[in-house]
Amino acid sequence: MVIEVKLEEKLQLLRKKNGYSQEQLADKLGIARQTISKWENGQAVPELNGLILLSELYGVTIDRIVKDDDTCNILLNKKADIDIDSVVDFLLRAKRNTYAGKGAEAKPSRVASHDFCYEENDYMYYDTYVGGERFSGEEAVWLREMPIWSMNYSGRIIGEHFNGDFLKEALYQVAADMPYRGPAIFTRGDYHYHCKVEGEFVWYQGYEEIFYLDEKIYECHFHGGIIR
């Protein structure tokens, strides 16, 4: 069986299959996000250098990228059914409307747990954690009642100057290029938040910390990715 897929459609499928948003892919290739958008809308075609970069990044030959009747299209269609950009956009809104945005807690799902829930169209976000100065929790996203993304986190307060409002303020700055906890760097007064991540949206791990002046007062490890 052969499935015909136009070049712009295949570029979208390959990107989604590999877990990149348009912004993340543009950063990987060193080009503008608008260029990726034009490729995927059929308004422009990647030049040879762009095809070489895509081939190396995705681990497929150039001819498999450009051919519109390749049998590998069957596999692509089966594995690229999650729109990473839409998931990330929803996740950012969900985070800003729950814990980071000082949203109201939902009914506890477990004994002594703190739960937050946000729903929008076909998406649902849930964040639940236990503990206080030492805590562990999980965030997850559902699409049409099917879980598609999850992140586990565990952290602790290690200094007397910890400020929960500052942590929430930092987490509220979450951005599309790092849709996990907070931005790479956020500062207010004597408080400094740092976050670093390895991997991509489909599979990653990271670490965040807060300093008061030169003293580390908080740390948290997190990891997760796409689930099916």
Side-chain angles (χ1 to χ4, degrees):
M1 177 181 181
V2 174
I3 295 179
E4 293 189 3
V5 179
K6 295 180 180 179
L7 176 59
E8 57 265 32
E9 295 173 339
K10 184 176 286 190
L11 292 175
Q12 290 185 51
L13 292 171
L14 283 166
R15 174 175 59 79
K16 293 174 183 178
K17 174 179 178 290
N18 285 273
Y20 296 113
S21 67
Q22 288 188 346
E23 187 170 349
Q24 290 172 326
L25 179 58
D27 183 64
K28 285 283 185 182
L29 301 182
I31 60 178
R33 183 182 186 278
Q34 290 79 2
T35 300
I36 303 296
S37 179
K38 289 181 179 180
W39 288 353
E40 296 186 358
N41 289 330
Q43 298 175 351
V45 176
E47 297 182 354
L48 179 58
N49 184 59
L51 290 171
I52 292 174
L53 292 174
L54 291 171
S55 173
E56 293 175 346
L57 181 63
Y58 295 148
V60 298
T61 60
I62 292 177
D63 66 318
R64 293 187 73 183
I65 295 177
V66 299
K67 288 173 63 178
D68 62 4
D69 61 348
D70 191 356
T71 53
C72 74
N73 294 334
I74 299 173
L75 183 60
L76 285 177
N77 274 285
K78 287 182 178 178
K79 289 193 174 181
D81 54 354
I82 296 177
D83 187 335
I84 299 298
D85 292 306
S86 295
V87 176
V88 169
D89 287 345
F90 166 75
L91 185 58
L92 298 184
R93 291 192 295 275
K95 286 173 174 287
R96 292 169 182 153
N97 279 279
T98 50
Y99 178 82
K102 301 182 180 180
E105 292 192 19
K107 182 179 179 180
S109 59
R110 298 165 294 169
V111 176
S113 69
H114 300 273
D115 295 55
F116 299 86
C117 185
Y118 180 78
E119 297 184 58
E120 183 181 292
N121 299 322
D122 293 330
Y123 288 104
M124 183 182 77
Y125 164 87
Y126 208 92
D127 176 17
T128 178
Y129 73 92
V130 292
E133 292 188 359
R134 294 174 179 267
F135 61 90
S136 291
E138 179 185 38
E139 297 177 36
V141 173
W142 283 257
L143 174 60
R144 292 185 289 274
E145 300 184 347
M146 292 294 294
I148 59 172
W149 179 88
S150 180
M151 178 175 74
N152 293 99
Y153 57 89
S154 186
R156 60 179 182 164
I157 297 170
I158 53 178
E160 61 179 345
H161 295 288
F162 175 77
N163 185 311
D165 286 339
F166 173 74
L167 172 60
K168 290 180 179 179
E169 187 177 356
L171 298 181
Y172 194 86
Q173 312 304 315
V174 61
D177 61 336
M178 287 180 61
Y180 314 107
R181 296 287 289 177
I185 298 175
F186 179 73
T187 296
R188 177 171 58 79
D190 295 328
Y191 288 89
H192 308 277
Y193 171 93
H194 304 149
C195 184
K196 54 185 177 182
V197 180
E198 296 180 356
E200 306 297 341
F201 191 69
V202 293
W203 186 255
Y204 60 89
Q205 58 184 353
Y207 175 75
E208 67 180 5
E209 57 189 0
I210 294 176
F211 286 82
Y212 175 75
L213 297 175
D214 294 327
E215 176 191 3
K216 184 189 291 189
I217 59 174
Y218 163 91
E219 61 182 0
C220 178
H221 292 267
F222 58 91
H223 63 274
I226 293 293
I227 53 176
R228 306 190 184 184

